[in-house]
Amino acid sequence: MSAERGLFSYPKYRGDNFKPAPFLPMSKAEMAKLGWDCCDIILVVGDAYVDHPSFGMAVVGRMLESQGFRVGIIAQPDWNSKDDFMRLGKPKLFFGVSAGNMDSMINRYTADKKLRHDDAYTPGNEGGKRPDRAVIVYSQRCKEAFKDVPVIIGGIEASLRRIAHYDYWQEKVRRSIIFDAKAELLIYGNAERPLVEVAHRLAAGEPISTLQDIRGTAVIRKEPLPEWRGVDSTAIDKVGKIDPIPNPYGADDVGCSSYSEFAQAGIDLSKPAEVEAKPVLVQPPRQKPWEKTYVKLPAFEQVSVNKPLYAHASRILHQETNPGCARAIMQRHGDRSVWLNPPAFPLTTEEMDGVFGLPYQRVPHPVYGKAKIPAYDMIKTSVNIMRGCFGGCSFCSITEHEGRIIQSRSKESILREIEEIRDKVPGFTGVISDLGGPTANMYRLRCKNPKAEQTCRRPSCVYPTICEHMDTDQSPTVDLYRSARKVPGVKKVLVASGVRYDLAVEDPNYVRELVQHHVGGYLKIAPEHTEEGPLSKMMKPGMGAYDKFKAMFDKYSREAGKEQYLIPYFISAHPGTTDLDMVNLALWLKERDFRLDQVQNFYPSPMANATTIYHTELNSLKNLKGNTEKVAVAKGERQRRLHKALLRYHDPAGWPMIREALLKMGLGKLIGKGKGCLVPEETRDEKNLKPKAGGKIAVTKHTGMNPVKEALIRKQQQTSKSSGQASYKKGKG
């Protein structure tokens, strides 16, 4: 396994005189202006090229450029032929391929599998500028253009398809994407550390076929790496029986074997050791149990047809995400295997500062002219202060991509970026739109026990309760907020990233600072649900933490003399959610007069824990032995529509469906005008618009809408007050 090396410790490939380009070139004309005859590396990406640290390809490109490589970008190429993939000529080292900041399937389709007609990462918000499964298509076109040039795939789409995975759109298990893309190498997670090593080793003349041992990468192999010890996954986490994860704070090899060495040797650590004077002997470092060890997963051919085996493989993968103690993973696909090296080590604060301090222009490439790119407009005055999340929410893939360990920038680096925004972003009004990250209030929070952090395999540091080893002191964030407000030319600093409220209430001083200075009238938080069934499958806290946070929010808002409101977000149709759970959530919302304008049905993204539950209907979050729990999963279109309609209980378009469901559930008492009712009784207008026996309801030419629905919506628009955010002003929740 390759050793860890500092990100900026390599000598520049083209020498110290190599200068950064104003923009990474997108054409041969731009290359000529720079005096380049070729690119060393060409990046192919599904997003428009925005030279901003919130866009992955800009970060990757500037990072490689800082190492002395000539880097070109082919953004949103025409994938119907190889021609557009040849526009910059042949790269000297390799093609780097990514679908962009989003998974191309999630970018193109809604949770109901309907085609989207917009794309926030495209000029003019125009849809259709990238193909389905963009990584596969782009990689194959690169091979057609220059068959002898290595292709390295990465980004969120490749990262979350690194082993056999359930595909929601085809409703089947697909093999690792590296096989379909025909790529030589896959980089998963944040790419800087492995990508820099790959680039320098290729530049030094190593064939890509020899780059088999780099952390954070996946390759195709016939056999395991030599001198590695294999462990069958069923010996660690048996199908039908999953051994309890050991206490991660007791021994050096904790979390990676069933019993510690101390216990096996009969040593009682509670008693002082008797020390006998002996000559000092220099011992070689003892190899950790996870070093030079790989776990063999059930083969693709097995997990594709056997749901318990799929759930088992998913559990193993999620247990091997801690860079401190993760083992390699091997999964056979036919006569070959995908080999996953352990995750790359997280970046240090100094390395994070270096990455975010690269010479970004902070604007889109000039080729786009004045065309608006919505994703850029949304983040152009925001600052990313950290990476990673230790929340472990089962529907989220941040842990599998960025990791659980928080990687924070220094305060000085963040303040410099705020000054850059002030000085470089056109039309800056003095407002920083967000100072956050995956979770706004995890800045500089880490495990207080370094040994525990290195060996822990808990999927979440805050569920079911906050770990006693987790630092919950958010004073560094408070200090950052106060310093950011003092930057000359800055009028307001907002926090728009989601706040982990169960963590926030551990530090009332943080909540006070946030509420009184950094809320622009509304603050979004995500309880996701009110009922224990779905919450336990989400790995989210109960509503007690929400109530505590809301009380603090209201108190500090009053102290500041401000009228501010919480906006809670909820997910419908999440695995573990029954129809009754959704009814109870709807009643909770109605009691507090919350009217949700936009709601989200659960979207089974590749490799997420919740997606495993969705596919298998097994609770893969728990030990499977003796676990006969059959998880409720809303899979059919009708049930998913019902769950979404219940979240929008106030919308008359969903009332017929809700009434029908309530009657079937024996909850007819919730239909009517009473205070505890959820929806009103059927009106005369609805009855008159119903089709007669054997008849059909016509569809109007003007809207293409069922006239019952159209009439009800029109009537609702005439009589009801505005919904959406205004509705939250009335909320008592």
Side-chain angles (χ1 to χ4, degrees):
M1 181 59 60
S2 59
E4 179 181 10
R5 181 170 176 173
L7 199 58
F8 296 96
S9 66
Y10 297 84
K12 282 191 175 182
Y13 173 61
R14 291 186 177 271
D16 292 335
N17 293 327
F18 182 73
K19 302 298 181 183
F23 285 89
L24 301 178
M26 293 178 62
S27 67
K28 283 199 170 182
E30 292 175 73
M31 290 169 57
K33 287 183 180 180
L34 295 169
W36 297 3
D37 58 346
C38 71
C39 292
D40 299 316
I41 299 162
I42 295 177
L43 304 178
V44 181
V45 60
D47 295 337
Y49 170 31
V50 180
D51 199 40
H52 188 286
S54 289
F55 285 73
M57 268 301 152
V59 174
V60 167
R62 290 297 187 184
M63 184 71 243
L64 290 168
E65 180 189 60
S66 74
Q67 304 289 321
F69 296 103
R70 294 174 175 176
V71 183
I73 287 189
I74 300 176
Q76 297 191 319
D78 177 359
W79 67 88
N80 293 300
S81 74
K82 65 181 181 180
D83 297 345
D84 216 13
F85 295 78
M86 304 175 74
R87 73 164 85 143
L88 299 182
K90 182 178 179 178
K92 185 176 179 181
L93 296 177
F94 64 86
F95 278 110
V97 174
S98 167
N101 273 21
M102 285 183 67
D103 183 288
S104 64
M105 298 301 288
I106 294 175
N107 180 278
R108 295 201 71 212
Y109 297 93
T110 69
D112 298 322
K113 303 182 185 178
K114 307 297 183 185
L115 185 68
R116 301 185 197 270
H117 299 289
D118 56 0
D119 184 343
Y121 291 91
T122 300
N125 200 24
E126 184 181 355
K129 289 296 184 179
R130 76 187 80 210
D132 290 356
R133 312 186 197 285
V135 167
I136 295 174
V137 176
Y138 290 163
S139 298
Q140 292 175 352
R141 291 293 180 267
C142 288
K143 286 293 185 184
E144 291 174 17
F146 302 103
K147 63 181 180 180
D148 57 335
V149 175
V151 172
I152 299 173
I153 59 176
I156 192 77
E157 180 166 312
S159 183
L160 300 185
R161 290 172 166 80
R162 56 189 185 259
I163 65 168
H165 56 279
Y166 174 72
D167 185 272
Y168 172 61
W169 303 274
Q170 289 187 329
E171 297 185 4
K172 71 174 189 178
V173 176
R174 290 178 63 100
R175 61 183 183 169
S176 168
I177 194 172
I178 194 171
F179 291 99
D180 291 332
K182 297 178 173 60
E184 279 77 11
L185 194 72
L186 181 156
I187 295 180
Y188 67 89
N190 292 120
E192 291 97 346
R193 197 181 299 285
L195 187 57
V196 165
E197 181 176 350
V198 167
H200 280 289
R201 287 174 65 174
L202 288 175
E206 284 192 55
I208 196 166
S209 60
T210 66
L211 306 186
Q212 303 279 300
D213 60 345
I214 299 174
R215 280 181 167 268
T217 66
V219 295
I220 296 174
R221 292 189 59 84
K222 285 278 190 179
E223 301 295 337
L225 285 176
E227 300 180 3
W228 283 61
R229 181 177 68 92
V231 178
D232 192 286
S233 64
T234 57
I236 304 167
D237 197 330
K238 295 179 180 178
V239 181
K241 178 184 185 301
I242 294 184
D243 297 329
I245 299 173
N247 181 338
Y249 312 115
D252 288 349
D253 64 346
V254 68
C256 297
S257 61
S258 297
Y259 304 96
S260 74
E261 293 179 14
F262 303 115
Q264 292 177 25
I267 298 173
D268 187 351
L269 293 178
S270 65
K271 298 179 180 178
E274 296 182 7
V275 180
E276 180 182 349
K278 291 183 178 180
V280 176
L281 299 176
V282 178
Q283 296 286 345
R286 187 183 64 179
Q287 182 172 304
K288 299 291 192 296
W290 52 85
E291 294 175 345
K292 296 290 184 181
T293 303
Y294 72 93
V295 180
K296 184 179 179 182
L297 293 182
F300 161 71
E301 289 77 11
Q302 294 175 297
V303 300
S304 62
V305 297
N306 188 306
K307 291 183 178 181
L309 278 178
Y310 183 94
H312 160 75
S314 175
R315 279 184 59 84
I316 292 291
L317 179 78
H318 286 87
Q319 288 176 13
E320 303 296 337
T321 57
N322 184 346
C325 65
R327 290 163 284 202
I329 290 176
M330 188 173 182
Q331 186 180 49
R332 188 159 293 282
H333 290 59
D335 62 348
R336 297 179 295 169
S337 296
V338 58
W339 173 277
L340 271 64
N341 288 300
F345 291 110
L347 300 187
T348 65
T349 294
E350 293 73 23
E351 289 172 331
M352 285 282 286
D353 289 353
V355 169
F356 282 87
L358 295 171
Y360 305 100
Q361 295 292 338
R362 308 195 71 85
V363 293
H365 190 283
V367 73
Y368 303 119
K370 295 183 179 180
K372 297 289 186 182
I373 301 176
Y376 167 70
D377 290 338
M378 183 175 68
I379 56 84
K380 64 183 178 182
T381 61
S382 70
V383 180
N384 191 345
I385 64 176
M386 43 75 71
R387 285 180 181 169
C389 180
F390 50 74
C393 300
S394 67
F395 51 82
C396 178
S397 300
I398 290 176
T399 298
E400 290 73 47
H401 189 62
E402 294 192 5
R404 282 189 303 137
I405 298 173
I406 302 301
Q407 304 160 71
S408 299
R409 299 168 61 185
S410 69
K411 182 175 76 171
E412 293 72 24
S413 170
I414 295 166
L415 296 180
R416 280 197 299 271
E417 184 171 356
I418 293 175
E419 292 170 349
E420 271 207 351
I421 292 173
R422 177 197 63 195
D423 299 337
K424 294 175 71 171
V425 174
F428 178 63
T429 62
V431 178
I432 297 297
S433 59
D434 186 26
L435 206 60
T439 303
N441 57 321
M442 289 187 181
Y443 177 66
R444 289 183 61 177
L445 297 188
R446 291 191 66 162
C447 184
K448 292 181 287 189
N449 185 328
K451 182 179 289 187
E453 182 178 67
Q454 183 188 26
T455 58
C456 181
R457 292 172 178 270
R458 281 185 60 167
S460 170
C461 301
V462 290
Y463 181 87
T465 58
I466 297 175
C467 176
E468 62 181 3
H469 291 273
M470 175 51 62
D471 181 11
T472 58
D473 176 15
Q474 290 153 82
S475 56
T477 313
V478 172
D479 178 56
L480 173 64
Y481 288 174
R482 290 173 178 171
S483 298
R485 297 201 301 268
K486 294 178 182 177
V487 174
V490 172
K491 301 174 184 177
K492 184 78 174 177
V493 178
L494 299 173
V495 174
S497 299
V499 172
R500 185 83 191 200
Y501 54 87
D502 54 337
L503 191 64
V505 297
E506 296 294 312
D507 191 341
N509 189 44
Y510 169 77
V511 181
R512 180 189 295 108
E513 193 75 17
L514 172 72
V515 171
Q516 296 189 347
H517 298 283
H518 300 281
V519 175
Y522 300 94
L523 178 68
K524 64 180 182 181
I525 60 173
E528 309 297 4
H529 217 285
T530 58
E531 306 305 296
E532 177 59 26
L535 287 173
S536 66
K537 306 305 180 293
M538 296 174 177
M539 297 178 66
K540 292 284 287 186
M543 294 304 288
Y546 168 85
D547 294 335
K548 187 175 180 180
F549 180 80
K550 185 182 185 307
M552 296 172 73
F553 180 89
D554 292 342
K555 174 187 175 183
Y556 296 135
S557 293
R558 287 193 300 269
E559 286 182 4
K562 295 182 177 181
E563 188 178 359
Q564 301 182 140
Y565 306 93
L566 283 180
I567 300 181
Y569 281 70
F570 298 92
I571 298 178
S572 55
H574 190 279
T577 309
T578 64
D579 294 351
L580 182 58
D581 289 329
M582 288 306 303
V583 169
N584 288 334
L585 171 55
L587 290 170
W588 186 92
L589 292 169
K590 185 167 186 180
E591 181 182 347
R592 289 154 181 80
D593 203 16
F594 279 136
R595 296 187 174 190
L596 308 184
D597 188 27
Q598 294 183 337
V599 300
Q600 178 64 56
N601 254 346
F602 168 67
Y603 207 145
S605 58
M607 223 172 83
N609 269 315
T611 301
T612 297
I613 301 174
Y614 175 89
H615 169 55
T616 65
E617 299 180 28
L618 299 171
N619 186 3
S620 58
L621 301 175
K622 290 184 176 181
N623 296 346
L624 294 180
K625 183 181 179 182
N627 177 8
T628 58
E629 178 183 1
K630 183 73 171 177
V631 180
V633 176
K635 284 189 175 178
E637 181 181 356
R638 181 170 181 80
Q639 191 178 19
R640 284 172 64 85
R641 284 175 54 214
L642 170 64
H643 285 203
K644 195 170 183 178
L646 284 163
L647 266 186
R648 287 179 50 80
Y649 67 90
H650 56 282
D651 185 353
W655 290 347
M657 181 181 293
I658 293 174
R659 290 191 198 103
E660 181 183 348
L662 291 175
L663 291 172
K664 285 184 178 179
M665 296 166 65
L667 296 175
K669 62 182 180 181
L670 298 180
I671 303 172
K673 297 181 180 179
K675 184 178 180 181
C677 293
L678 184 60
V679 294
E681 294 178 344
E682 189 176 42
T683 65
R684 181 178 300 175
D685 289 341
E686 288 178 273
K687 291 178 180 177
N688 291 339
L689 285 168
K690 271 188 174 181
K692 296 179 180 179
K696 293 183 179 179
I697 298 181
V699 177
T700 65
K701 293 182 180 180
H702 179 62
T703 64
M705 186 182 295
N706 180 310
V708 175
K709 181 176 179 180
E710 183 182 25
L712 291 171
I713 290 176
R714 187 164 56 247
K715 185 174 181 180
Q716 176 76 358
Q717 289 172 341
Q718 294 170 351
T719 59
S720 66
K721 296 180 180 179
S722 61
S723 60
Q725 288 187 336
S727 301
Y728 289 105
K729 294 182 180 180
K730 301 189 295 180
K732 298 176 287 184

